[in-house]
Amino acid sequence: MEVPDFMQYSNKFTKSEFVEKISRIAKRAGAKLVYAALILFYTLQSDKVSLKDKAIIIGALGYLISPLDVVPDAIPIAGLGDDMAVLIFVLQKVWGEVSEEVKEKAKRKLDQWFDTDEIEEINHLFEKE
């Protein structure tokens, strides 16, 4: 099987298109996945992040929005597990580059889509489910 070129999805990283995609899957995906995706998306917009880190962020976000997954998103529970694993892996790689401003911006967006008790799960972002 050939690995897809996720860079072809980089044009989907406009704020409106990315937020629209995330908002459609938000409740099904859970606050933890959405928070990780938002942090990566907002970090990608920073001019303080290296090109190498931006490339792996684009790969992770491309995988999230790509219709081609190892485990199809339509499969309940497990469908978004591979997406979450990719996002967390990349987030751990770039965590030192993530500003407090980006974290707060992502939390503010979560407040629009989730209840307070659902948002609590982001406090355990790097813990396995």
Side-chain angles (χ1 to χ4, degrees), residues 2 11 23 37 69 100:
E2 187 175 315
N11 66 334
S23 67
D69 275 4
E100 289 302 315

Side-chain angles (χ1 to χ4, degrees), residues 101-118:
E101 178 184 333
V102 163
K103 293 174 192 174
E104 284 305 314
K105 190 174 182 180
K107 285 179 186 175
R108 284 192 304 273
K109 185 56 80 175
L110 285 183
D111 286 337
Q112 296 174 7
W113 295 331
F114 294 95
D115 296 329
T116 305
D117 60 324
E118 294 171 309

Side-chain angles (χ1 to χ4, degrees), residues 14-111:
T14 66
K15 183 174 182 167
S16 62
E17 289 173 331
F18 182 78
V19 170
E20 177 188 335
K21 166 73 176 183
I22 292 298
S23 67
R24 282 192 313 238
I25 67 164
K27 286 292 185 181
R28 188 166 59 95
K32 200 171 178 180
L33 182 141
V34 173
Y35 183 61
L38 288 170
I39 287 177
L40 290 175
F41 178 71
Y42 295 140
T43 299
L44 182 63
Q45 297 172 2
S46 171
D47 58 351
K48 297 175 183 158
V49 178
S50 72
L51 287 177
K52 177 185 155 221
D53 286 346
K54 285 186 177 194
I56 63 171
I57 291 171
I58 288 171
L61 295 177
Y63 187 78
L64 175 65
I65 65 171
S66 170
L68 304 172
D69 275 4
V70 173
V71 180
D73 293 344
I75 297 173
I77 302 171
L80 292 170
D82 61 323
D83 296 278
M84 184 66 184
V86 169
L87 292 178
I88 293 298
F89 176 79
V90 172
L91 194 52
Q92 287 177 325
K93 293 277 188 198
V94 301
W95 191 249
E97 304 293 323
V98 177
S99 70
E100 289 302 315
E101 178 184 333
V102 163
K103 293 174 192 174
E104 284 305 314
K105 190 174 182 180
K107 285 179 186 175
R108 284 192 304 273
K109 185 56 80 175
L110 285 183
D111 286 337

